[in-house]
Amino acid sequence: MPDSQDPGARQPAPPRFLLFEYSELNPAMRADPHALFDPQRRERPVEHDGMIPAMLISAYGVGRESLMDRSLSRNFDDAAPENPVIANVRRLNAAMAAEFGKHDSMLTLDDPDHGRVRGIVAEAFLKRAAGAQGLVAQIIDAQIDALAGRETFDAVNDYAARIPIQVLGTILGSPPEMFESLKVWTEAGQLAFDPTKSAEQEKLALDGRRGILSHFKELMEARRAAPQDDLVSDLLAAQANGAPIDDNEILFNLFALLVAGHLTTADLIGNGIYLLLTHDEARQAILADPKLITGAVEEILRYEPPISFSARFAKADGKAGGCPYHKGDALVVSLISANRDEDRIDDPHRFDITRRPNPHLSFGAGAHICVGAPLARIEGQTAILKLLQRFPHLRKVDDSPPDWRVVPGVRGLAKLDVITE
Ligand code: HEM
């Protein structure tokens, strides 16, 4: 007798929309990702999504291997268009391409173009980042001075989210009067990967991208006419000296540096303050021995990674961790889950600022590993340490659960109200 006529027969389970369940759009995932990821990683470390052409990879080993696999692509044109996230990003990119040219940043290029462009941009950027300690300290001191005398403040919006935009704006060469607009435009774009965003949010994201690209286009023209001491001038000088990079590539890489470097670093700082206010022993240890901040920032990155997943696209059929995938599939690696994989990390749910080694995947891995990691580390270490030192009695206003932002792919706090005494 067919199942449908047998009232006692089990119905087949409906296909699971894994990438939704495991994204920040799911309140249960935001509240306690590990209650979902721990069993998933143990039982199905690689699993095909039931609804869209994508695989969720939650184990460290196969996750790292996939990020490092150079046969996989970062180019959205290699991803199956039925994937709603991909369709969404492609639509935004196509609208911008019509106005500014093709999105040619290192974020989405593959070799050989990726290696060529990344080599030139990273060399110039890392030189600037290496000399940024003084600038970062100065910006953070001014930001803390602005909080003096306040009994309460929001450690995310009044502090963490104000720092990276000033650091990046100054390094890139934007005038200070543009910083607030660049911040608003960048934040409007954070929903780029959210297929559920409203028409109004989509317009804000588009306007934000347009604002940033127009600004950098004008800045490039100004610096070409009159170079200054900034990254835009460095990249134009490299081009004039024969470095193989065109104007479109410079424009879109300036955009990428800003967009990839603002909220991520703000979230590192915000998550770090939250974790140290809720782990007093670690906070007291850092206050007693400030050198511990270096390891503490690595542990903060591991424990609450600001970017919760990173993806690659399959250019041909293949297998990851024994699980078959098809051409066009997105291989989505959960950095949140990989960082808590007991097969790679001892006692992974313990927050331990002295953990050595700490091989977290929060900056990704392989050819696309985060280019801004050295700057993010300087900002994170300086911003968290200086705030704790200035306000040694800092505490959360109450015991309410953390207010995680509802943005897929992002693990950061919407706000964090604190009291200084
Ligand atoms: C705590 C802060 C940050 C985190 C957690 C973070 C995380 C990441 C991750 C996960 C990736 C993808 C790597 C992969 O898929 O293998 C990435 C790439 C990238 N990040 Fe960061 N990032 C941070 C800060 C920054 C900063 C400050 C900048 C620059 C100003 C930056 C610029 C970039 C760029 C340009 C890429 C693309 C590299 C490529 O595709 O070759 N990031 N980042």
Side-chain angles (χ1 to χ4, degrees):
M1 187 164 36
D3 283 355
S4 57
Q5 291 174 24
D6 174 0
R10 279 180 39 186
Q11 296 296 315
R16 288 174 66 194
F17 192 172
L18 280 184
L19 287 193
F20 175 83
E21 276 177 46
Y22 287 92
S23 86
E24 287 72 12
L25 296 176
N26 178 0
M29 147 73 190
R30 287 199 304 280
D32 186 2
H34 305 292
L36 296 177
F37 270 118
D38 284 355
Q40 173 73 15
R41 186 177 58 246
R42 282 174 202 136
E43 289 154 30
R44 294 177 296 276
V46 183
E47 186 177 4
H48 217 277
D49 194 283
M51 309 286 276
I52 62 172
M55 297 213 308
L56 176 68
I57 301 177
S58 47
Y60 186 101
V62 61
R64 185 164 184 278
E65 261 168 41
S66 304
L67 292 175
M68 299 196 56
D69 184 343
R70 286 179 177 245
S71 73
L72 299 170
S73 165
R74 282 280 287 201
N75 183 341
F76 284 84
D77 292 341
D78 286 320
E82 309 86 89
N83 182 331
V85 177
I86 302 301
N88 194 51
V89 175
R90 272 191 184 167
R91 206 172 51 243
L92 285 177
N93 285 350
M96 287 305 102
E99 288 177 51
F100 296 95
K102 197 167 153 294
H103 188 121
D104 270 343
S105 90
M106 63 179 107
L107 286 164
T108 54
L109 287 173
D110 287 327
D111 277 342
D113 291 331
H114 177 261
R116 170 180 58 80
V117 167
R118 177 169 166 134
I120 296 164
V121 176
E123 189 186 336
F125 175 77
L126 291 174
K127 238 184 247 165
R128 293 252 158 214
Q133 183 75 63
L135 170 73
V136 169
Q138 194 189 325
I139 287 171
I140 288 168
D141 284 340
Q143 207 54 54
I144 294 183
D145 287 345
L147 297 170
R150 284 180 65 174
E151 211 171 292
T152 63
F153 62 92
D154 174 350
V156 169
N157 297 296
D158 297 334
Y159 185 65
R162 305 214 156 261
I163 295 163
I165 198 75
Q166 298 181 58
V167 173
L168 279 171
T170 309
I171 288 180
L172 268 48
S174 303
E177 61 272 20
M178 284 305 297
F179 293 171
E180 187 57 29
S181 300
L182 290 172
K183 178 173 180 294
V184 171
W185 290 333
T186 304
E187 289 171 8
Q190 69 176 330
L191 293 176
F193 292 99
D194 184 352
T196 65
K197 67 178 177 298
S198 66
E200 194 190 337
Q201 286 169 322
E202 168 122 352
K203 185 176 174 313
L204 283 175
L206 272 173
D207 288 348
R209 285 178 173 221
R210 187 175 290 118
I212 297 169
L213 288 165
S214 304
H215 166 66
F216 284 135
K217 210 171 165 183
E218 280 168 23
L219 200 58
M220 283 171 66
E221 277 162 28
R223 295 299 187 263
R224 186 164 268 142
Q228 302 221 347
D229 182 15
D230 56 34
L231 186 76
V232 175
S233 306
D234 295 348
L235 290 172
L236 291 169
Q239 184 195 48
N241 290 331
I245 186 163
D246 65 28
D247 279 4
N248 199 51
E249 289 164 342
I250 294 181
L251 175 65
F252 276 89
N253 279 287
L254 292 169
F255 172 86
L257 289 170
L258 182 76
V259 169
H262 163 49
L263 271 172
T264 47
T265 311
D267 287 339
L268 162 62
I269 299 168
N271 295 353
I273 296 168
Y274 170 74
L275 283 170
L276 291 171
L277 295 191
T278 49
H279 293 82
D280 196 52
E281 219 172 283
R283 185 216 329 214
Q284 297 309 333
I286 293 168
L287 286 173
D289 180 4
K291 285 193 302 300
L292 291 176
I293 193 67
T294 315
V297 162
E298 296 312 303
E299 183 67 345
I300 291 162
L301 284 162
R302 181 188 76 83
Y303 208 79
E304 295 293 6
I307 300 277
S308 57
F309 56 74
S310 191
R312 303 285 187 266
F313 310 117
K315 288 197 278 192
D317 293 357
K319 278 188 179 179
C323 182
Y325 59 75
H326 299 294
K327 182 176 178 334
D329 283 353
L331 277 70
V332 180
V333 180
S334 167
L335 308 180
I336 288 197
S337 176
N339 282 351
R340 302 279 188 113
D341 188 336
E342 44 286 272
D343 285 348
R344 186 66 179 83
I345 312 275
D346 289 340
D347 201 359
H349 296 308
R350 187 161 52 89
F351 180 70
D352 176 4
I353 62 168
T354 63
R355 189 180 286 282
R356 299 274 187 289
N358 193 339
H360 64 74
L361 289 183
S362 301
F363 289 124
H368 289 272
I369 194 168
C370 179
V371 106
L375 182 63
R377 287 185 162 114
I378 295 174
E379 290 185 60
Q381 292 163 13
T382 314
I384 296 167
L385 180 62
K386 278 183 179 275
L387 190 79
L388 296 183
Q389 286 175 328
R390 185 75 73 97
F391 300 111
H393 305 295
L394 198 71
R395 60 193 157 91
K396 288 169 68 209
V397 286
D398 55 32
D399 284 338
S400 56
D403 185 0
W404 298 106
R405 269 189 276 122
V406 188
V407 181
V410 167
R411 181 82 172 156
L413 294 167
K415 64 179 174 58
L416 175 61
D417 292 322
V418 291
I419 301 186
T420 52
E421 285 305 326

